Amino acid sequence: MSSTDDDDDGKHDGEAPAKRPSLTAVMREARRQLGDLLQRQAGAVSAIKATDNGWTADVEVVELERVPDTMSVMALYHVELDSGGEIVAYERGPRYARGQIDRR
């Protein structure tokens, strides 16, 4: 093993560093992957931010479908994605009725 094999710069033998996915692509992937993991319908991405190690996103998920639709139980999930847009962690946040309006 040569000394260049120990470098952690992400480049190998003149290769360019991997291109970071677009914000739009990461939003779509966060929704798709979280929906697949939870086997539930993922809805809107209400926040997304690039970080040093990848991305973070807040994704709304239908936890329990009710009739009328405005009474369905929703949950906000905080998702961490790596630099390639793959989910590496998630955590469920607050739950609320779909028709609920924020009080400020």
Side-chain angles (χ1 to χ4, degrees):
M1 178 161 41
S2 71
S3 63
T4 58
D5 291 337
D6 293 335
D7 291 342
D8 267 340
D9 64 359
K11 296 183 218 172
H12 300 285
D13 298 326
E15 293 177 14
K19 184 179 179 217
R20 189 175 203 152
S22 70
L23 181 70
T24 308
V26 173
M27 287 177 69
R28 278 194 294 264
E29 279 302 298
R31 285 181 58 207
R32 183 190 66 76
Q33 290 178 50
L34 187 62
D36 288 350
L37 284 168
L38 300 175
Q39 295 296 296
R40 293 191 174 113
Q41 179 186 351
V45 175
S46 58
I48 191 163
K49 181 171 104 173
T51 66
D52 292 339
N53 299 320
W55 303 85
T56 61
D58 291 338
V59 182
E60 296 178 344
V61 174
V62 178
E63 291 272 301
L64 181 62
E65 299 237 13
R66 296 247 172 101
V67 176
D69 188 53
T70 55
M71 294 306 297
S72 292
V73 177
M74 306 291 292
L76 186 66
Y77 281 79
H78 182 73
V79 178
E80 294 180 26
L81 303 101
D82 65 17
S83 59
E86 296 292 320
I87 290 179
V88 294
Y90 69 89
E91 180 178 10
R92 188 179 77 190
R95 295 175 78 181
Y96 54 92
R98 183 180 290 218
Q100 183 177 330
I101 298 173
D102 291 340
R103 291 185 185 182
R104 299 200 187 238

